[in-house]
Amino acid sequence: EIVLTQSPDFQSVTPKEKVTITCRASQSIGSSLHWYQQKPDQSPKLLIKYASQSFSGVPSRFSGSGSGTDFTLTINSLEAEDAATYYCHQSSSLPGTFGQGTKLEIK
Amino acid sequence: QVQLVESGGGLVKPGGSLRLSCAASGFTFSDYYMSWIRQAPGKGLEWVSYISSSGSTIYYADSVKGRFTISRDNAKNSLYLQMNSLRAEDTAVYYCARSSWYVDYWGQGTLVTVSS
């Protein structure tokens, strides 16, 4: 099973700050890496597919990069509504596995 | 617009059974793989099961294999999860999800609580 490890587990950030969340895979997964946002008491929502492709309707401040084993989700100019837990997910080997999540708190 | 609406969750005793349903609308249901993904209280996401568009390919997580059965009725645009021999560790919100290589739409979830 491919293990995804996210860092950090928790981050407290101020509005307008730039945030970077990383996801490392235990083996190469090409670009089969996707990012989701889950706000409290809501279901997850797709942000980025295939490492860097933005999903429809996602604000442009969210971007993704990486390939192989190392991936990054970047949030430029953080807004208060971005308080959430972010998960990466690999689909290189179905059904895929999720990272443990990164919780973003807005100061 | 795509809608996935789960139902069937609730409180059940250990060893009991429950059947979850997911009503899909807003897309051609028979074209898509579908999945059940769960989230224990305060925990992360775990893929429980998926089923191919025709139903010919099915996957189960080791944690539920032999106890859960996924099925679909393309004529009714519905996805199901039959859960037997439930354990305390199956307590979670269960999400119905439209999934190809990624999950582009999630339902609102239905809570399953296994407790005596």
Side-chain angles (χ1 to χ4, degrees), chain A residues 6 12 14-15 17 21 23 27 30-31 34 44 65 73 89 99-100:
Chain A
Q6 292 182 228
S12 184
T14 55
E17 200 174 325
I21 298 170
C23 179
Q27 64 189 74
S31 295
H34 321 291
S65 64
L73 174 69
H89 157 230
Q100 81 278 15

Side-chain angles (χ1 to χ4, degrees), chain A residues 4-13 17-24 33-40 42-48 58-59 61-64 71-89 97-106, chain B residues 39 43-45 106:
Chain A
L4 298 179
T5 304
Q6 292 182 228
S7 61
D9 290 332
F10 176 85
Q11 191 169 3
S12 184
V13 293
E17 200 174 325
K18 177 180 175 179
V19 172
T20 299
I21 298 170
T22 65
C23 179
R24 174 164 289 176
L33 192 285
H34 321 291
W35 291 98
Y36 304 87
Q37 176 194 63
Q38 185 177 32
K39 296 182 180 180
Q42 293 186 18
S43 54
K45 289 182 170 54
L46 178 66
L47 293 176
I48 304 288
V58 173
R61 62 182 180 275
F62 292 94
S63 63
F71 301 86
T72 300
L73 174 69
T74 300
I75 311 174
N76 283 300
S77 192
L78 192 79
E79 297 190 6
E81 66 183 29
D82 299 333
T85 300
Y86 294 83
Y87 294 94
C88 57
H89 157 230
T97 48
F98 293 95
Q100 81 278 15
T102 294
K103 186 173 183 178
L104 279 189
E105 174 192 85
I106 311 299
Chain B
Q39 186 171 36
K43 301 296 185 183
L45 299 164
W106 304 67

Side-chain angles (χ1 to χ4, degrees), chain B:
Chain B
Q1 71 283 20
V2 173
Q3 281 200 309
L4 300 169
V5 180
E6 303 95 336
S7 61
L11 175 63
V12 61
K13 288 182 169 53
S17 298
L18 217 50
R19 189 192 195 211
L20 305 183
S21 299
C22 172
S25 61
F27 65 102
T28 304
F29 182 73
S30 57
D31 284 350
Y32 289 86
Y33 275 57
M34 296 295 295
S35 295
W36 289 99
I37 298 169
R38 69 185 179 184
Q39 186 171 36
K43 301 296 185 183
L45 299 164
E46 178 190 17
W47 217 296
V48 173
S49 182
Y50 74 68
I51 185 169
S52 63
S53 53
S54 67
S56 59
T57 301
I58 286 175
Y59 160 87
Y60 297 104
D62 287 344
S63 57
V64 307
K65 203 171 292 182
R67 300 187 298 121
F68 289 12
T69 302
I70 191 172
S71 62
R72 65 189 296 161
D73 185 336
N74 286 342
K76 294 183 178 179
N77 292 340
S78 293
L79 176 72
Y80 307 101
L81 186 68
Q82 177 67 42
M83 304 186 295
N84 298 331
S85 303
L86 282 161
R87 306 167 180 166
E89 54 265 35
D90 295 318
T91 294
V93 173
Y94 284 73
Y95 295 105
C96 169
R98 191 177 88 167
S99 53
S100 51
W101 297 102
Y102 50 87
V103 178
D104 55 358
Y105 292 97
W106 304 67
Q108 84 287 353
T110 187
L111 176 62
V112 172
T113 303
V114 184
S115 175
S116 54

